Amino acid sequence: MSEFHGSASRGSTPGPNRTPPPATRAKALRHRLAELRGPEVPAKALDARALAALAANPGCARRAILDGAGVDKARLASALGAPSAFGQSQFALTRGNAFEAKVKADGGAELLRLAHARLDPGAEPPEGAAVPDLTAQGPEGRTARTALALREATRAGGWTLLDHPMLALDVAGSLAFLEPDAVVVHPDGSWSVVEIKSFPMLDGSADPAKVGAAARQAAVYVLALEEVAGRLGARPERRADDGAPAPRVRHRVLLVCPKDFSNLPAGSAVDIRKQRAVTARQLARLTRIEEIARALPEGKCFAPDRSAEELTAAVAAVPATYAPECLSACELAFHCRERSREEGAVTRLGRPLRAELGGLTTVEDVLAAARGESGDPDDPAVAALRRAAALRAEALASARMPADAPHPEVAPCP
């Protein structure tokens, strides 16, 4: 894993107070994650969509450890008795695959035409673009083959289309393998991410919410490409050959969608600089997977063949940060929502309200502060709650008064 660097001296053994060699730590972490997932359970790959959702809620240690261990959260949610309808329908997947095949037909001629028109109109037209074979054994092999193809395409110049390349990104100590729809290498040696979606583009624009989700997903691919570019730029032989810096990863990605109500492809350039910066900052805030795994009690396991009681206890051992946005981004959202309701957590009411309440973390704490039973009067949140409670009491009292009775004056806001 990219979290660990260096090598141990040959023949050395770690002492009782010495940190284990990086290779030993990496092996121990992989073994620990396999125990959490279930020794016989295959790991579920962590894709860019899951990473974008994880970055949107970096405080959720539960999702971080489950994704890092490769746990199938949909199966886990079903075993917990809270199945989720999160995910794409089979019809949407079939339609998306058919549209992607159409866009990439004839060696990606239409896709490259859109990339030239939307991203790089000043370059030479993409006539006879290269489409290298990225076949290799396993994700590690495909990642290495993709890096080699990017390096060769950057040196050769001209247009190159990489169909479903494999990229790797270190996320909180766990290596995630990512597969974008396509990556285009421009004649100037720069790289662009291509996202192909099946939602329509009507009169040149698409659903802003769906475009935003695609932009966050593309930002993850851009971060992974930047790591590849950094490694290529640091190669001594590259500096010796031409002295060129690391290849440039463009921050405008190509979004390809069906045009209007047809199946014809339309392209749009999407600036993802904001999404890239936010995603990078949120991923950097994630607690290291190693730290979360170390804090878990021995014997905890998320294998779906365990009893509901065992799985409930294992999931409860990892703190979660539930918010209503989780319902559209995480398979465990229904389970976490129920637990949040049982605990009376204010996070289930939304992150903006949670931020306004400061140190008041439960609904009971909020109500007690509003009634004047607890809380620091100098706390702005407590003061606002008590003022709101007073206004509510006055409004209810006014509603119960006879029509000809004088109304009490409301004290001015402090």
Side-chain angles (χ1 to χ4, degrees):
M1 294 186 179
S2 58
E3 178 191 3
F4 308 106
H5 303 279
S7 59
S9 302
R10 184 167 300 178
S12 63
T13 57
N17 298 320
R18 183 182 301 175
T19 302
T24 304
R25 290 175 57 203
K27 184 177 180 180
L29 179 58
R30 286 194 296 268
H31 179 71
R32 177 64 172 141
L33 294 179
E35 287 180 340
L36 293 173
R37 182 177 62 247
E40 306 300 325
V41 180
K44 180 177 173 61
L46 186 62
D47 58 16
R49 183 174 298 176
L51 276 181
L54 182 60
N57 192 7
C60 187
R62 181 175 298 171
R63 174 154 194 168
I65 190 65
L66 292 176
D67 284 342
V71 174
D72 188 335
K73 296 194 297 298
R75 292 182 64 190
L76 178 60
S78 298
L80 289 169
S84 173
F86 172 76
Q88 287 184 300
S89 67
Q90 190 60 42
F91 173 75
L93 290 173
T94 302
R95 181 182 61 186
N97 291 336
F99 178 68
E100 181 177 339
K102 180 180 180 65
V103 172
K104 293 180 178 177
D106 300 324
E110 181 63 16
L111 190 154
L112 288 166
R113 184 191 69 79
L114 291 173
H116 174 257
R118 303 301 181 190
L119 300 179
D120 202 358
E124 59 185 30
E127 301 292 341
V131 185
D133 182 13
L134 303 179
T135 305
Q137 186 67 30
E140 293 85 357
R142 290 185 59 196
T143 301
R145 181 69 188 90
T146 296
L148 179 60
L150 286 169
R151 179 188 175 197
E152 293 174 346
T154 303
R155 288 182 171 182
W159 291 90
T160 300
L161 173 64
L162 275 66
D163 185 7
H164 281 290
M166 184 67 74
L167 307 171
L169 183 66
D170 182 87
V171 182
S174 181
L175 199 61
F177 292 99
L178 311 173
E179 188 175 356
D181 293 328
V183 171
V184 171
V185 180
H186 298 251
D188 63 357
S190 58
W191 305 345
S192 292
V193 170
V194 178
E195 274 289 279
I196 303 174
K197 298 297 183 182
S198 58
F199 55 81
M201 190 175 294
L202 306 175
D203 294 330
S205 61
D207 184 346
K210 294 180 178 179
V211 173
R216 290 188 294 272
Q217 188 174 339
V220 176
Y221 296 136
V222 167
L223 289 172
L225 271 180
E226 288 176 346
E227 288 196 1
V228 178
R231 289 194 296 269
L232 292 184
R235 295 175 68 93
E237 60 269 28
R238 176 171 175 81
R239 292 197 301 269
D241 287 345
D242 50 19
R248 178 170 65 95
V249 180
R250 294 179 177 234
H251 291 167
R252 294 173 76 236
V253 304
L254 178 65
L255 176 64
V256 182
C257 301
K259 182 179 180 181
D260 298 326
F261 297 101
S262 69
N263 203 34
L264 299 175
S268 176
V270 180
D271 191 329
I272 54 97
R273 284 177 295 181
K274 178 180 178 180
Q275 289 84 355
R276 180 212 164 276
V278 171
T279 302
R281 182 170 64 252
Q282 299 291 63
L283 290 178
R285 287 177 54 198
L286 287 174
T287 305
R288 306 301 289 182
I289 299 296
E290 187 178 19
E291 298 174 13
I292 303 174
R294 189 186 305 120
L296 282 177
E298 290 294 332
K300 297 299 181 183
C301 181
F302 304 106
D305 58 352
R306 298 293 181 95
S307 67
E309 292 75 15
E310 288 181 282
L311 291 175
T312 300
V315 170
V318 190
T321 306
Y322 171 78
E325 294 84 355
C326 296
L327 292 172
S328 61
C330 182
E331 296 87 340
L332 280 181
F334 289 148
H335 173 80
C336 295
R337 182 178 64 178
E338 289 304 314
R339 295 299 176 271
S340 180
R341 285 174 174 172
E342 292 174 2
E343 297 168 0
V346 296
T347 52
R348 64 187 174 92
L349 304 176
R351 292 194 183 100
L353 180 59
R354 170 68 185 88
E356 292 290 337
L357 293 174
L360 304 174
T361 58
T362 67
V363 174
E364 185 57 37
D365 291 340
V366 173
L367 295 177
R371 292 190 295 260
E373 298 171 359
S374 65
D376 183 0
D378 294 330
D379 186 337
V382 174
L385 286 169
R386 292 180 181 177
R387 175 62 178 157
L391 290 173
R392 177 179 180 275
E394 291 171 357
L396 292 176
S398 299
R400 290 192 292 266
M401 284 183 176
D404 57 348
H407 288 266
E409 295 185 2
V410 177
C413 296

